[in-house]
Amino acid sequence: MEIDPELMEAFKNLQVSMRPISAEELAAFDEHTPLKERNEKQDHPSYSKIPRFFDPPPKPEDKIRQMMRREAHSISLQRQAFMLPDTDELNELWKVLQDHVDETTEAKVQLIEFDSFIKVTEKLGEKFEFFLRPRLFLSLMVNSPVPGKAEVLSIYKYVTGRVELEQGRIGISFYDEMGQGVLQEVDLENYIRDIIPTLAQVSNYLEPSFEIFYVCTVVKKFFFFLDPLHTGRIRIEDAIITGMLSEVLELRNEAKESEEKDDQVAEENEHRNWFSLESVIAVYDTFLGLDKDHNGLLSRDELAKYGSGTLTSVFMDRVFEVSRTFDKEMDYKGFLDFFFALEYRDKPPALHYLFRLLDVGQQGFLTAQNLSYFFEDIARQIKATNAEQVLFQDLKDEIFDMVKPSDPMKITVKDLLNSEQGETVVSILIEYQRFSAYENRDENRANI
């Protein structure tokens, strides 16, 4: 293919500068544009639609602007809340859907066609436009028992669920006074404390003296999973996307649902919700069970009895080196971080926590030396129990084979997460019972 000589010459003469352009140079460049043309450009309707990408919050000393910003944020949230369907309007949604049922199957499943779905949307008005969109119908139609139709009950459940979620988002956003979309720990504490009266499965049985521990446990779980880098803030969007906020708000409806179900099913539903009062009490009881001297703090020896009671000595030393302690003892908040890390070892926040303990030199990676340091305690327990000896070199090679790090000499936390073997790796280094179970995995499978 021949290239046009004139085009080639133009490319040769083209000079491109890669240096940054200052605001002054950009303004000067615009000065070359005739004044009349500049004014016409500025008057163009599209200029009014250019969004503002960043609006810095007022400084702490600017009290008036801070107050105005909080007020504006509050008014905006109130307007959003007003635009959501209320209970009467949701009841009206059900009635209108019933009026537009196109078919009822033998299993008494009510179905609606797309044309009728559009009529429902038009009849209900603007408050439902955001929820009753054509793509909702198409997504529900895929799982419908009759092609081309959607289940009426599924439509209703979707809308009510989304409304509850939006109500939750708006409610929690009131505690973000500056409207930045984030909450500090004290903000979330205030929110949880304020909504407890609306959580029937909590407020009906919560002793006033236990409220502080309930709030502390719930808030700590939010921050453990949503703020693994310890910035002191969590994004409201993350609380919604992960489903954690929805799980808390589900406790509002548990009492109503339990009236319609037998006691066994209601109890199972409560167990599935981590934020139920029973789940939180179980965590607190674990703490109390370890606190043998009943001083409200856990010593190293007391915490070492956690779980199987076979956590290695070097690991426990690292826990107390890294964690915040009071006279070398751990409080309930510190215990919650420890608890979540060991109970959810397959989750990224837990692996971040445990990796930090394994990374003794704070290098950002683990080497054979790190692994050897933690294996020495495992080896001592192997000898004490007269179990079959394991060579460190074999274990080290096995760990590196499992993780397959990008650098064959180092294991980073990213390598652990990508390998999907992080839970196994950390467990066999910090807990003898888990190590023993791993070493005897083939025998255990044969006995099943």
Side-chain angles (χ1 to χ4, degrees):
M1 177 180 178
E2 296 185 2
I3 300 176
D4 188 341
E6 293 184 3
L7 183 61
M8 179 62 72
E9 189 65 26
F11 272 109
K12 288 181 180 179
N13 296 328
L14 182 63
Q15 296 182 357
V16 180
S17 173
M18 300 302 292
R19 68 177 180 81
I21 300 176
S22 67
E24 291 77 10
E25 290 177 300
L26 191 61
F29 176 80
D30 197 43
E31 290 177 359
H32 295 290
T33 305
L35 180 61
K36 181 180 179 182
E37 186 176 337
R38 265 188 291 162
N39 291 336
E40 289 176 353
K41 286 169 62 179
Q42 292 173 357
D43 293 337
H44 195 276
S46 65
Y47 272 65
S48 63
K49 298 179 181 178
I50 297 178
R52 178 179 292 179
F53 294 100
F54 177 67
D55 185 13
K59 297 179 180 179
E61 60 269 18
D62 194 344
K63 302 297 183 183
I64 295 179
R65 283 193 65 208
Q66 280 197 338
M67 183 177 65
M68 292 177 64
R69 187 183 181 95
R70 283 196 294 267
E71 186 65 21
H73 180 56
S74 177
I75 292 173
S76 173
L77 292 174
Q78 291 175 28
R79 187 179 295 116
Q80 293 175 43
F82 177 75
M83 290 304 297
L84 289 176
D86 57 27
T87 303
D88 292 337
E89 288 166 325
L90 289 173
N91 291 336
E92 181 64 19
L93 164 65
W94 179 250
K95 293 178 182 177
V96 174
L97 285 170
Q98 292 290 300
D99 292 339
H100 289 79
V101 171
D102 293 305
E103 181 181 345
T104 302
T105 67
E106 293 182 0
K108 297 183 179 180
V109 176
Q110 296 177 321
L111 302 170
I112 188 172
E113 296 178 353
F114 183 72
D115 290 342
S116 299
F117 176 82
I118 296 299
K119 291 177 182 177
V120 169
T121 305
E122 294 173 348
K123 186 169 184 178
L124 291 170
E126 61 178 347
K127 282 193 177 184
F128 286 92
E129 288 179 358
F130 175 77
F131 305 101
L132 296 174
R133 295 182 176 180
R135 65 184 179 187
L136 168 63
F137 182 89
L138 295 175
S139 63
L140 295 177
M141 186 179 67
V142 174
N143 298 319
S144 174
V146 178
K149 298 178 182 180
E151 291 186 30
V152 167
L153 184 58
S154 296
I155 295 172
Y156 178 75
K157 284 185 175 181
Y158 170 83
V159 175
T160 54
R162 282 299 305 273
V163 169
E164 287 182 1
L165 187 60
E166 285 297 307
Q167 289 172 340
R169 178 189 65 80
I170 293 170
I172 199 172
S173 295
F174 274 103
Y175 294 78
D176 167 29
E177 292 187 342
M178 290 294 104
Q180 297 295 297
V182 297
L183 295 176
Q184 296 182 14
E185 194 167 326
V186 65
D187 300 325
L188 187 58
E189 286 175 354
N190 291 333
Y191 171 71
I192 296 298
R193 190 177 296 110
D194 289 346
I195 68 168
I196 282 177
T198 71
L199 307 179
Q201 285 299 302
V202 176
S203 61
N204 290 348
Y205 310 100
L206 180 64
E207 294 290 336
S209 60
F210 190 70
E211 180 179 302
I212 185 174
F213 296 102
Y214 178 82
V215 173
C216 174
T217 308
V218 170
V219 170
K220 199 63 177 175
K221 186 174 186 185
F222 270 85
F223 272 81
F224 182 85
F225 285 97
L226 304 184
D227 183 31
L229 300 180
H230 305 286
T231 64
R233 305 185 306 173
I234 61 170
R235 297 197 311 160
I236 292 175
E237 182 181 356
D238 291 338
I240 295 171
I241 292 174
T242 58
M244 294 180 73
L245 179 61
S246 296
E247 194 171 357
V248 172
L249 298 179
E250 280 175 8
L251 296 171
R252 292 174 170 175
N253 303 322
E254 285 288 327
K256 294 179 181 178
E257 292 177 0
S258 63
E259 294 174 1
E260 302 172 2
K261 302 173 182 178
D262 59 51
D263 294 338
Q264 182 179 357
V265 175
E267 187 176 351
E268 289 174 357
N269 284 340
E270 188 173 330
H271 276 298
R272 282 199 296 268
N273 192 317
W274 194 94
F275 298 106
S276 69
L277 183 59
E278 185 174 355
S279 296
V280 173
I281 288 175
V283 177
Y284 187 67
D285 282 347
T286 301
F287 177 82
L288 292 180
L290 295 170
D291 183 18
K292 298 301 182 184
D293 59 5
H294 308 294
N295 68 341
L297 298 169
L298 297 180
S299 66
R300 179 194 172 285
D301 291 339
E302 287 175 331
L303 188 60
K305 301 296 191 297
Y306 177 83
S308 66
T310 62
L311 292 168
T312 65
S313 178
V314 290
F315 174 70
M316 295 308 305
D317 289 341
R318 284 293 294 158
V319 170
F320 278 80
E321 285 174 14
V322 173
S323 303
R324 181 185 178 186
T325 58
F326 303 86
D327 293 330
K328 297 183 180 181
E329 292 195 309
M330 181 182 291
D331 68 353
Y332 183 58
K333 282 190 175 183
F335 168 76
L336 288 173
D337 281 334
F338 176 87
F339 174 85
F340 293 135
L342 293 185
E343 291 297 314
Y344 299 93
R345 301 181 203 190
D346 60 326
K347 306 299 181 185
L351 287 175
H352 276 280
Y353 176 96
L354 294 170
F355 183 89
R356 189 159 54 104
L357 299 179
L358 295 174
D359 182 15
V360 178
Q362 298 182 348
Q363 304 172 96
F365 55 83
L366 305 180
T367 63
Q369 186 177 359
N370 291 103
L371 304 185
S372 176
Y373 176 74
F374 284 91
F375 177 72
E376 286 177 5
D377 211 344
I378 294 288
R380 280 193 290 270
Q381 295 189 56
I382 292 175
K383 187 176 181 180
T385 56
N386 295 319
E388 184 179 350
Q389 293 298 308
V390 176
L391 296 176
F392 169 71
Q393 186 65 35
D394 294 338
L395 179 68
K396 188 260 303 182
D397 292 342
E398 196 165 347
I399 289 176
F400 273 83
D401 286 343
M402 281 193 290
V403 177
K404 295 181 175 57
S406 53
D407 185 328
M409 304 299 291
K410 304 173 182 177
I411 296 176
T412 65
V413 68
K414 184 178 180 181
D415 293 327
L416 275 182
L417 294 171
N418 291 340
S419 71
E420 298 183 356
Q421 298 294 323
E423 178 184 10
T424 301
V425 171
V426 298
S427 294
I428 62 180
L429 290 173
I430 69 174
E431 187 173 1
Y432 178 69
Q433 187 184 69
R434 291 288 190 102
F435 172 84
S436 179
Y438 176 78
E439 281 297 303
N440 298 297
R441 59 193 182 280
D442 293 335
E443 182 180 338
N444 292 336
R445 287 197 201 102
N447 293 332
I448 296 177

